[in-house]
Amino acid sequence: MHPFYRKPWTALTVGGILATRLAAEPLEAQANPPTAAPDIRMNTVGFLPAQEKHAAIARGCTNFTVVRASDGAVVFSNTISSSMVNADTEETLWQADFSALQAPGKFQLEVPGVGRSAEFTISPLVYAEPFYAVERAFYLWRCGTAVRETWQGQTFAHAACHTNDAWLDLATGQHTRVASTRGWHDAGDFNKYVVNAGVTVGVLFRAWEDFGGAIQKVAMELPAMAEPTPGWPDFLAEIKWETDWLLTMQAPDGSVYHKVSTQSFGGFILPETELTPRYFVPWSSAATANFVAMLAQAAREFRPYTPAYADQCLAAASKSYAFLTTHPENHRADQSAFHTGAYEVNDRSARLWAAAELWEATGRADCLRDFETRCRAEGARVEASFDYGNVGNLGALTYLFSHRPGRDEALAGLLRTHWLVTADVIVQKHLAHGYGRPLGGSYSWGGNGAVARQAVILEAANRLDPHPEYVAASRATLDYLLGRNVHGRSYVTGVGFHPPEHPHDRRSGADNLVPPWPGYLVGGPNPGAADWHDVQADFRTNEIAINWQAALVYALAAALP
Ligand code: 9MR
Ligand code: ZN
């Protein structure tokens, strides 16, 4: 059905890296029978005309039609192409393929003996509205200001919050407040964590670099800001809200505080009513390295709009890089006074990313050497899935697509090969999975974000070596997250069929509105393939978070016209 023969499986042994990773994959998790999911499970937002179109049907069937939503006229019919046992959910799934239907419109799938699907759209613009909602969710996460959104007839809003951030007491022992406002709340909680900002900002900037032209066509309707200066693209203005905060996280010696946080998680109240003191948390080398990478990248991306701000970002990045070179050991933050998100990770991958970004921003030979030494030491490794704790892929991308002279072309070539092999494995996992999930049967906290982040790997592979399977697998991240999954539901609030209603989000729990704040991706099934519960208390599967959200912004941006 899906020819993907370009690379032989023997390629898996390149560098010995991927073969090892595959062997180390955990066994498929135990499945829980899903409750009351519809039998027809598919992306219920819809498809681009040329996109592959698949539905998984959880009841025996032999043929199906696609009908026009307005009058029920049959526009397409086909036999069921195959049935298969999906290992991670232990279900037999019948596969409907209607990729050949390309005409724009609103449709439903109709399966004799099973039923009708929710409505879906085929249109070149089908992802513009989801992109709007999912990107605007960052604006709604802004700390230190009032925000407001009207979505599907409801207005979601809160007043300016956490305007007293933050106390230095627990970082330096000084009873002093230093301004650390702005930034985004991390997740369903209101704290601000530098390490998790790293992969978030890195992936957002990557979206801008890769799809900035398409992104700019979607008006984000952000409130007018005194700064950045008019003429900034909304997408970059949104990231600047975060970098403005990040700049406050640098200590005078160049180290970077790990986070700004209450000592314990607060209750389900609106952020402006959370008046518990918030503190700077002692520095960590992981936060410092992420800071260097983000601000070096910011300098590069912001320079065309505000050179002075770009200079400020670059100076900050350079100062913290100098600090890191004199503190080569992994230094954990002392978080003993805190019970909030730890994000305690080894700094190795962030140091590699930082070196790549500072090289790309400045051309400094010492930074290039630093990156290449680290990259070689890692065997030019490419991560098959990445998140806040392993951001090396972001450094690899900057290096791979750089136009600067001086690279070790043999190393670049090896990295490129590893990248493509990694992408090929993702394609194979996508094809072997009953819901086309590009992460196969591996589930973890925030796994939905990890699914979306596969799009970053796949789209880069497609730029390195264009191949329609990469694009198809990238779009399959959207299919899975928008309904082609064991629950037959969208995992994004306010978007698609039967989306999450009770995310672990303090704003949603505290306001008096029935629907949750819109546009947010929930963490998703974990530890089993079907272990997702649309229950507010379930922070393990039903929380929202900036790092997962940024990945979905990327996957959607890739599908904008
Ligand atoms: O995404 C994080 C996940 O990888 C960890 O296993 C989990 C427990 O430490 O924490 C997750 O991050 C949460 C953070 O600690 C606090 N804010 C909410 C985040 C999403 O659940
Ligand atoms: Zn706030």
Side-chain angles (χ1 to χ4, degrees):
M1 286 288 104
H2 300 277
F4 190 76
Y5 302 131
R6 193 176 56 82
K7 289 197 188 69
W9 279 102
T10 50
L12 277 180
T13 55
V14 173
I17 295 165
L18 284 159
T20 320
R21 283 194 67 77
L22 282 182
E25 287 255 315
L27 295 174
E28 306 291 52
Q30 289 282 313
N32 270 358
T35 49
D39 283 327
I40 303 174
R41 300 167 190 175
M42 58 180 289
N43 176 342
T44 61
V45 167
F47 307 88
L48 301 167
Q51 186 178 342
E52 286 189 17
K53 304 172 191 72
H54 301 275
I57 298 153
R59 211 177 328 155
C61 51
T62 55
N63 60 295
F64 69 97
T65 58
V66 180
V67 300
R68 201 156 54 203
S70 57
D71 59 3
V74 174
V75 296
F76 184 86
S77 62
N78 203 354
T79 53
I80 295 295
S81 53
S82 62
S83 75
M84 48 98 74
V85 175
N86 185 50
D88 59 28
T89 57
E90 295 176 351
E91 300 164 294
T92 303
L93 297 174
W94 285 259
Q95 301 290 341
D97 182 344
F98 52 106
S99 304
L101 175 63
Q102 301 210 349
K106 286 202 167 203
F107 307 99
Q108 288 172 286
L109 207 73
E110 192 164 284
V111 186
V114 178
R116 268 192 185 196
S117 75
E119 268 183 39
F120 62 90
T121 299
I122 297 178
S123 159
L125 286 168
V126 67
Y127 296 121
E129 190 180 72
F131 175 84
Y132 173 90
V134 169
E135 165 60 14
R136 248 181 97 85
F138 277 99
Y139 152 70
L140 294 175
W141 251 321
R142 285 186 187 185
C143 186
T145 188
V147 299
R148 166 177 296 270
E149 166 88 334
T150 299
W151 185 254
Q152 294 171 350
Q154 304 269 2
T155 297
F156 304 84
H158 73 68
C161 57
H162 304 115
T163 49
N164 289 330
D165 280 350
W167 292 98
L168 267 179
D169 306 42
L170 299 175
T172 66
Q174 299 158 275
H175 182 54
T176 318
R177 218 163 46 78
V178 171
S180 188
T181 56
R182 300 200 172 185
W184 303 305
H185 301 135
D186 181 62
D189 66 306
F190 298 137
N191 301 305
K192 302 186 286 202
Y193 310 93
V194 174
V195 167
N196 201 36
V199 72
T200 305
V201 167
V203 166
L204 289 175
F205 274 139
R206 184 43 61 195
W208 179 252
E209 284 193 27
D210 296 348
F211 312 112
I215 287 172
Q216 242 179 316
K217 292 187 206 144
V218 184
M220 293 314 302
E221 301 166 326
L222 294 178
M225 287 163 65
E227 17 115 24
T229 49
W232 271 57
D234 286 343
F235 193 84
L236 291 184
E238 194 52 57
I239 302 176
K240 183 176 182 286
W241 193 265
E242 183 78 351
T243 55
D244 283 351
W245 164 65
L246 285 166
L247 287 166
T248 72
M249 295 302 283
Q250 187 179 48
D253 65 357
S255 68
V256 174
Y257 301 117
H258 193 67
K259 60 191 194 184
V260 159
S261 174
T262 49
Q263 288 186 266
S264 300
F265 285 121
F268 274 66
I269 55 176
L270 285 172
E272 64 270 32
T273 65
E274 186 180 76
L275 302 172
T276 330
R278 308 217 304 175
Y279 298 93
F280 286 94
V281 173
W283 77 282
S284 70
S285 53
T288 308
N290 274 286
F291 175 94
V292 171
M294 286 186 274
L295 290 188
Q297 204 175 2
R300 191 152 57 83
E301 309 290 356
F302 292 159
R303 184 159 303 283
Y305 305 96
T306 312
Y309 188 70
D311 288 344
Q312 189 188 346
C313 292
L314 189 56
S318 306
K319 180 173 183 176
S320 289
Y321 184 76
F323 177 89
L324 284 176
T325 56
T326 54
H327 295 77
E329 74 293 348
N330 182 55
H331 178 90
R332 294 174 172 192
D334 175 2
Q335 303 198 55
S336 51
F338 296 87
H339 299 101
T340 52
Y343 293 117
E344 187 182 287
V345 296
N346 184 285
D347 66 14
R348 200 179 313 125
S349 71
R351 283 181 186 260
L352 175 141
W353 179 33
E357 291 303 340
L358 201 52
W359 168 61
E360 184 68 352
T362 63
R364 274 170 57 175
D366 59 328
C367 299
L368 176 59
R369 243 185 347 263
D370 185 8
F371 170 83
E372 290 183 335
T373 304
R374 291 176 184 281
C375 184
R376 267 183 226 111
E378 301 277 341
R381 173 199 192 86
V382 172
E383 297 284 356
S385 171
F386 67 101
D387 202 345
Y388 60 86
N390 58 338
V391 288
N393 281 5
L394 293 173
L397 280 175
T398 295
Y399 182 74
L400 275 174
F401 290 100
S402 176
H403 296 297
R404 284 197 178 277
R407 283 189 323 189
D408 171 350
E409 290 307 325
L411 181 64
L414 186 60
L415 205 48
R416 179 182 185 278
T417 302
H418 288 179
W419 196 281
L420 293 173
V421 172
T422 303
D424 292 352
V425 172
I426 295 170
V427 169
Q428 294 296 342
K429 288 189 178 189
H430 147 67
L431 294 176
H433 192 271
Y435 297 106
R437 191 172 187 266
L439 210 54
S442 122
Y443 295 85
S444 56
W445 191 320
N448 277 349
V451 167
R453 221 172 284 111
Q454 297 304 74
V456 178
I457 300 177
L458 291 159
E459 296 288 339
N462 191 53
R463 286 199 309 285
L464 289 171
D465 190 3
H467 213 274
E469 280 76 4
Y470 294 140
V471 179
S474 173
R475 299 295 171 267
T477 64
L478 300 176
D479 289 345
Y480 173 82
L481 297 173
L482 298 173
R484 186 187 179 192
N485 58 53
V486 66
H487 298 100
R489 294 175 62 175
S490 164
Y491 291 130
V492 183
T493 61
V495 174
F497 173 74
H498 199 178
E501 290 163 357
H502 311 288
H504 186 84
D505 169 36
R506 282 163 176 70
R507 297 161 306 172
S508 298
D511 67 13
N512 291 317
L513 302 171
V514 173
W517 286 47
Y520 289 97
L521 177 66
V522 297
N526 166 48
D531 295 338
W532 168 61
H533 308 286
D534 187 12
V535 173
Q536 179 178 287
D538 191 357
F539 53 88
R540 284 186 188 78
T541 76
N542 213 30
E543 190 161 359
I544 60 175
I546 56 173
N547 53 325
W548 315 335
Q549 191 77 12
L552 182 55
V553 165
Y554 185 95
L556 286 165
L560 291 173

